[in-house]
């Protein structure tokens, strides 16, 4: 048996050991990996980075509230066939001309092993995961219209993300490996920043991280800023060339940090933060 | 192999299935994690735990169960490659000591010194309640060459602390012991689905098309119709504040489940009993309210009324004008309840309080009577009965 390559993160994606183990387990046993975590901690990016690191093509299936499980397999375009039948087209005699392949089909019939990302599975109807059980377990499905069975040539590495909006059924969970991306601690965060912006000034990162973790500490925030928000914010700070000492200023006029719009995404949070910061200032 | 571990997990409420156990064994056979307790811990966690709220329980069982793992370490010692030990030595001995050892005589001497040093370590760490030194400065813990030593083979940049990851119990906050998940509530709420076709015609109406095509002499005449949507309309009134504080969790779950299940959902808040005012956002209850009569006029009798509240208050708040704890109410709460119930034939009261206490609160009995026994507990069964009641033709 040839040992598959191991995933150990990439230059731009810092992993933790538990995530590596989870990805490698999913890859070795060819089972789906379910990734949960706060928004903005890199769940979707993980699939892209795994695909890149293992040099496998990536097939992305973004799930919406109206997505049906069957759409991932195939759709039979009966209306097109009916219309062609009326017009007397020759291809109407072969039903397979009207089978539109879905993402799963695409992944199953690929000539190399692929990474299949099923993004935000919790957005779909509550029965959605149940409808995919058999397909993900056996990696095959039956096409009723053409009486053929589509079987995976190479079992794809399936990465599923969820934002916890709906709970997933037990039977589905039993078949997956699970990983919860924790919010990175400071040391990891520094590495992540360094991986994304190698040329950033050290003192800027230090002050920005101080502020960032302070903001996350504010109780009652509706949406705590996460990694992706921090990276956006740092980029803005760099573009505007804001010096580090502005971030730690004790200037009473500067209650909210510059360019806070990248960190706090709704006006209640901004108000809350202003109040907390104001009280903290007064207490000093 | 780990059957005892699995049983312990199940006893602690982490429902591990046979499938997952077999998956773990298979993963071990494929050497996903080798000779490293921490890797094994991560692998076991990814395989056996599927909910971040259960990770903390898993950590506790893991710590307990693998306390006795020390026996393995002695066998491993023989297999530890030389270069790992060298790295270990670098960590433990100062550069001066290293130089001295080198001049004294090579690897043998180095190993000897290292062994002595680790013996000391072992003594110093004894007596801790965990099998890892509680002082937390040594990356090796109490047993020196326990499988932790294997990790020294990895690159230096990996910073490790001596406290085991599972002993850190980082997932503690997430263990909520929440029995009533939103999934259960949502499945219960599905009972109330009433399908109707509204909006844009986007779906092929097969029957209509066949009929029209036949009528058209066989020339295709496509007919489309709107998709089926849940068209049940729900007016949700939530009691907020005071005695309801104990039930915020369940109410919030019910609310979030309802929000994703019903397209037509209107929510208003009240305090203890419904009076002439309701408000949409609890934060702005004093300056932004809606008159109850206006709510009734806006949302007609075809709406289902669901009241969520513990109905626990002073009986005067229901029976007397001016009984409210918050303001002077011109008319008694009972009057407003009657008006609501008359306006909405489809109504149910969902009460988060334990049914055992229902008989002991006067206000609760009063409201239950007023609701015509249409008061149900906030449990899955209760919800089920409530929704059955709402579906009953009136």
């Amino acid at each position: 048996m040839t040992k598959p390559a191991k995933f150990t993160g990439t230059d731009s994606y810092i992993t933790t050991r538990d995530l590596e183990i989870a990805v490698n387990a999913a890859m070795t046993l060819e089972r789906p990996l379910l990734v949960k975590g706060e928004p903005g901690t890199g769940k979707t990016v993980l699939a892209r980075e795994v695909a890149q690191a293992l040099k496998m093509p990536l097939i992305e299936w973004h799930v919406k509230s109206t997505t049906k499980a069957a759409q991932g397999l195939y759709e039979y375009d009966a209306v097109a066939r009916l219309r062609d039948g009326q017009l007397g087209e020759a291809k109407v005699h072969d039903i397979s001309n009207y089978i539109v392949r879905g993402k799963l089909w695409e992944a199953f019939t690929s000539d190399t092993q692929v990474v299949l990302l099923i993004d935000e599975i919790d957005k779909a109807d509550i029965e959605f995961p149940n409808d995919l059980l058999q397909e993900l377990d056996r990696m095959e499905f039956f096409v009723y219209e053409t009486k053929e069975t589509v079987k995976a040539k190479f079992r794809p590495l399936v990465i599923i993300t969820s934002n916890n909006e709906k709970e997933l059924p037990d039977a589905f969970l039993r078949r997956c490996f699970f990983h919860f991306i924790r919010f990175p601690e400071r040391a990891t965060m520094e590495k992540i920043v360094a991986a994304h912006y190698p040329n950033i000034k050290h003192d800027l990162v230090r002050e920005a991280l101080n502020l960032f973790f302070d903001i996350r500490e504010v109780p009652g925030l509706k949406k705590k800023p996460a990694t992706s928000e921090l990276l956006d914010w740092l980029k803005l700070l760099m573009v505007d060339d804001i010096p580090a000492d502005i971030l730690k200023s004790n200037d009473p006029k500067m209650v909210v940090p510059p360019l806070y719009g990248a960190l706090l995404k709704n006006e209640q949070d901004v108000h809350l933060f202003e109040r907390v910061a104001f009280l903290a200032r007064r207490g000093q | 192999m780990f059957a005892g571990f699995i049983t312990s997990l199940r006893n602690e409420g982490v429902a591990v299935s046979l499938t997952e156990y077999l998956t773990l064994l298979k993963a071990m056979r494929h050497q996903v994690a080798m000779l490293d307790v921490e890797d094994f811990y991560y692998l076991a966690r990814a395989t056996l735990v599927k909910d971040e709220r259960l990770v903390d329980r898993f950590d506790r069982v893991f710590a307990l169960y693998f306390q006795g793992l020390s026996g393995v370490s002695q066998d491993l010692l023989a297999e530890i490659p030389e270069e790992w030990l060298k790295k270990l030595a670098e960590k433990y001995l100062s550069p001066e000591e290293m130089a001295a050892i080198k001049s004294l005589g090579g690897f043998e001497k180095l190993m000897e010194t290292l062994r002595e040093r680790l013996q000391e370590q072992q003594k110093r760490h004894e007596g801790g309640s965990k099998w890892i030194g509680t002082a937390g400065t040594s990356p090796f813990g109490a047993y020196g060459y326990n499988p932790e030593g294997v990790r020294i083979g990895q690159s230096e940049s990996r910073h490790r602390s001596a406290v085991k990851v599972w002993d850190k119990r980082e997932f503690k906050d997430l263990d909520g012991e929440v029995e009533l998940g939103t999934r259960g509530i949502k499945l219960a709420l599905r009972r109330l689905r009433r399908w109707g076709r509204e909006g844009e015609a986007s779906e092929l109406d097969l029957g209509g098309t066949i009929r029209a095509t036949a009528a058209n002499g066989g020339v295709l005449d496509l007919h489309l119709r709107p998709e089926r949507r849940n068209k049940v309309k729900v007016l949700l009134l939530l009691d907020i504040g005071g005695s309801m504080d104990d039930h915020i969790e369940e109410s919030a779950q019910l609310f979030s489940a309802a929000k994703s299940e019903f397209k037509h959902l209107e929510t208003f808040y009240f305090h203890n009993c419904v009076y002439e005012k309701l408000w949409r956002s609890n934060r702005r209850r004093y300056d932004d309210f809606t008159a109850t009569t206006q709510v009734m006029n806006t949302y007609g009798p075809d709406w289902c009324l669901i009241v969520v509240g513990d109905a626990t208050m002073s009986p005067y708040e229901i029976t007397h004008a001016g009984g409210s704890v918050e303001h002077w109410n011109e008319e008694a709460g009972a009057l407003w309840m009657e008006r609501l119930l008359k306006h909405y034939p489809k109504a149910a009261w969902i009460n988060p309080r334990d049914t055992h206490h229902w008989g002991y609160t006067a206000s609760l009995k009063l409201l239950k009577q007023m609701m015509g026994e249409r008061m149900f507990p906030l449990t899955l069964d209760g919800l089920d009965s409530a929704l059955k009641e709402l579906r009953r033709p009136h």
Side-chain angles (χ1 to χ4, degrees), chain B residues 82-129:
Chain B
E82 203 178 303
E83 61 265 34
W84 290 354
L85 290 177
K86 271 191 188 147
K87 266 197 170 171
L88 186 65
E90 280 165 24
K91 264 196 163 165
Y92 260 68
L93 307 173
S94 66
E96 293 81 37
E97 279 178 305
M98 288 286 284
I101 290 164
K102 226 169 228 167
S103 63
L104 273 172
F107 183 69
E108 292 294 307
K109 183 71 190 161
L110 181 133
M111 288 326 298
E112 205 173 293
T113 324
L114 185 59
R115 206 171 297 253
E116 273 167 30
R117 184 59 54 94
L118 288 169
Q119 285 279 323
E120 268 172 48
Q121 276 286 329
Q122 194 161 348
K123 275 178 203 134
R124 202 175 300 158
H125 275 279
E126 264 171 17
S129 60

Side-chain angles (χ1 to χ4, degrees), chain B residues 56 84 88 148 160 164 180 187 230 279 303 323 327 336 341 353:
Chain B
D56 184 50
W84 290 354
L88 186 65
E148 175 105 61
R160 302 273 181 190
K164 281 292 174 204
L180 196 70
L187 283 173
N230 192 3
W279 50 96
W303 287 67
H327 69 299
W336 284 106
L341 290 173
R353 279 193 80 188

Side-chain angles (χ1 to χ4, degrees), chain B residues 288-303:
Chain B
D288 185 16
F289 53 82
T290 317
T292 309
T293 43
Q294 193 190 330
V295 171
M296 291 200 295
N297 288 339
T298 316
Y299 309 107
D302 55 327
W303 287 67

Side-chain angles (χ1 to χ4, degrees), chain A residues 17-18 164 174 176 178, chain B residues 17 20 39 45-46 50 52:
Chain A
R17 183 73 187 148
D18 45 348
N164 249 348
R174 296 261 175 267
C176 302
F178 171 70
Chain B
S17 71
E20 285 161 312
D39 281 3
R45 199 179 71 188
K50 302 295 159 64
E52 65 275 16

Side-chain angles (χ1 to χ4, degrees), chain B residues 59-260:
Chain B
D59 285 357
R60 277 179 299 179
V61 177
F62 193 92
L64 266 176
Y65 191 79
F66 289 99
Q67 249 176 5
L69 204 68
S70 59
V72 186
S73 57
Q74 293 308 315
D75 305 336
L76 275 178
L77 186 59
E79 295 167 16
I80 292 178
E82 203 178 303
E83 61 265 34
W84 290 354
L85 290 177
K86 271 191 188 147
K87 266 197 170 171
L88 186 65
E90 280 165 24
K91 264 196 163 165
Y92 260 68
L93 307 173
S94 66
E96 293 81 37
E97 279 178 305
M98 288 286 284
I101 290 164
K102 226 169 228 167
S103 63
L104 273 172
F107 183 69
E108 292 294 307
K109 183 71 190 161
L110 181 133
M111 288 326 298
E112 205 173 293
T113 324
L114 185 59
R115 206 171 297 253
E116 273 167 30
R117 184 59 54 94
L118 288 169
Q119 285 279 323
E120 268 172 48
Q121 276 286 329
Q122 194 161 348
K123 275 178 203 134
R124 202 175 300 158
H125 275 279
E126 264 171 17
S129 60
K130 300 274 159 135
W131 60 292
I132 298 304
T134 41
T137 48
S138 147
F140 300 98
Y143 297 105
Y145 281 120
N146 71 27
E148 175 105 61
V150 178
R151 269 209 281 97
I152 294 163
Q154 291 169 351
S155 67
E156 281 288 322
S157 65
R158 258 182 222 294
H159 175 75
R160 302 273 181 190
S161 55
V163 182
K164 281 292 174 204
V165 273
W166 51 89
D167 275 347
K168 282 196 216 159
R169 297 187 49 195
E170 288 178 322
F171 288 81
K172 206 158 103 191
D173 302 342
L174 297 170
D175 183 4
E177 292 263 28
V178 191
E179 293 301 329
L180 196 70
T182 44
R183 188 179 166 82
I185 298 182
K186 273 179 205 158
L187 283 173
L189 289 179
R190 291 185 88 168
R191 277 186 165 274
L192 206 58
R193 281 188 182 177
R194 205 165 304 136
W195 298 105
R197 296 182 187 278
E198 269 170 15
E200 192 196 353
S202 59
E203 202 181 65
L204 180 69
D205 177 5
L206 204 56
T209 304
I210 292 171
R211 224 173 300 123
T213 306
N216 217 3
V219 180
L220 187 59
D221 187 5
L222 283 182
H223 275 243
L224 296 173
R225 64 182 173 189
E227 243 182 286
R228 249 165 33 119
R229 289 211 176 83
N230 192 3
K231 64 166 213 178
V232 68
K233 296 168 181 170
V234 176
L235 179 64
L236 191 64
L237 301 185
L238 293 160
D239 183 0
I240 198 104
S243 52
M244 275 299 282
D245 283 352
D246 305 340
H247 311 293
I248 282 179
E249 183 83 3
E250 296 107 298
S251 308
Q253 279 196 351
L254 174 71
F255 176 64
S256 82
K259 219 166 75 174
S260 70

